[in-house]
Amino acid sequence: MSIAKITKIAFALLLAGACNSAQAHSFSLLMLAQFSQPQGQSELQGFLLATREQDSHEDETSDGHLGGLDVHILKLDSSRGDDGLFDAIKETIPEHQPMFASGSLEGGRSRKILESKAVVLVEPQQAAYWDLYSTHPEQISLMNGDSFARAYRDRYATAADIHAVRGYLSARLIARVIRQSNEAQRGNPVWLKQAILASLQAQTP
């Protein structure tokens, strides 16, 4: 084998290793919300509140951190209907390879394509604590023990509604699973789905 060919192979392996290393420290997420309506912005704000609680630093290029990893949020407007959302998901997944999707889905096609592409849908409204926290946001504590309702009002100058609660709790579920996982587990959608389901049974986020 020629020296030039060996050099090309070595460079390709080095580049692949660099890409894998970058992916190991970040992940992408689909946020499915009604962004054409105020509730979509509320849900995003709730989610972002959690991504900025821990591990944040200056000059971030991501949308914050969950579980110690950079998270990149891909916003898809669920108000376009199931067919429109299905098409948007189908177009987005190949390029960005999202690990999770956050939001509430009513349409069957959108839900099915997430399952077929091994994207784990996180639905905090299935959590054991949803009924309490969705009606009493003041009962939710941040990771450091402070009040979620107060922190949300301080940051966004408005009270947290049910959509903000859903966004925040979704992020907390993901943060819990990411922090408790290793790199191999994060690459296994079956493991991730089971870990999310188990976290939904916890009494607190």
Side-chain angles (χ1 to χ4, degrees), residues 87-146:
D87 291 339
I89 293 172
K90 186 178 179 180
E91 292 173 3
T92 304
I93 287 178
E95 179 180 356
H96 298 281
Q97 296 295 311
M99 186 183 297
F100 296 101
S102 173
S104 179
L105 285 181
E106 296 180 0
R109 295 185 72 207
S110 298
R111 186 178 293 272
K112 287 179 180 177
I113 193 173
L114 292 176
E115 292 176 355
S116 69
K117 299 298 184 180
V119 179
V120 179
L121 178 61
V122 181
E123 299 177 286
Q125 58 270 32
Q126 304 297 327
Y129 43 75
W130 174 253
D131 287 345
L132 171 63
Y133 289 161
S134 61
T135 54
H136 297 282
E138 71 278 4
Q139 297 292 322
I140 305 173
S141 295
L142 301 181
M143 298 180 206
N144 64 5
D146 290 347

Side-chain angles (χ1 to χ4, degrees), residues 157-172:
T158 188
D161 59 17
I162 191 172
H163 306 287
V165 170
R166 182 165 60 197
Y168 180 76
L169 294 179
S170 180
R172 288 288 299 272

Side-chain angles (χ1 to χ4, degrees), residues 25-43:
H25 293 89
S26 67
F27 67 96
S28 294
L29 171 136
L30 297 178
M31 173 153 283
L32 316 174
Q34 297 184 38
F35 289 111
S36 59
Q37 304 295 328
Q39 54 261 41
Q41 186 63 26
S42 293
E43 192 157 343

Side-chain angles (χ1 to χ4, degrees), residues 140-200:
I140 305 173
S141 295
L142 301 181
M143 298 180 206
N144 64 5
D146 290 347
S147 166
F148 159 75
R150 183 169 58 249
Y152 187 92
R153 181 180 289 278
D154 288 347
R155 179 175 289 273
Y156 300 114
T158 188
D161 59 17
I162 191 172
H163 306 287
V165 170
R166 182 165 60 197
Y168 180 76
L169 294 179
S170 180
R172 288 288 299 272
L173 282 163
I174 294 169
R176 177 197 287 258
V177 168
I178 291 295
R179 192 154 315 261
Q180 294 176 349
S181 66
N182 57 42
E183 187 174 342
Q185 290 167 331
R186 292 193 292 273
N188 183 342
V190 175
W191 186 92
L192 289 173
K193 183 175 182 178
Q194 292 302 316
I196 288 291
L197 291 175
S199 294
L200 289 172

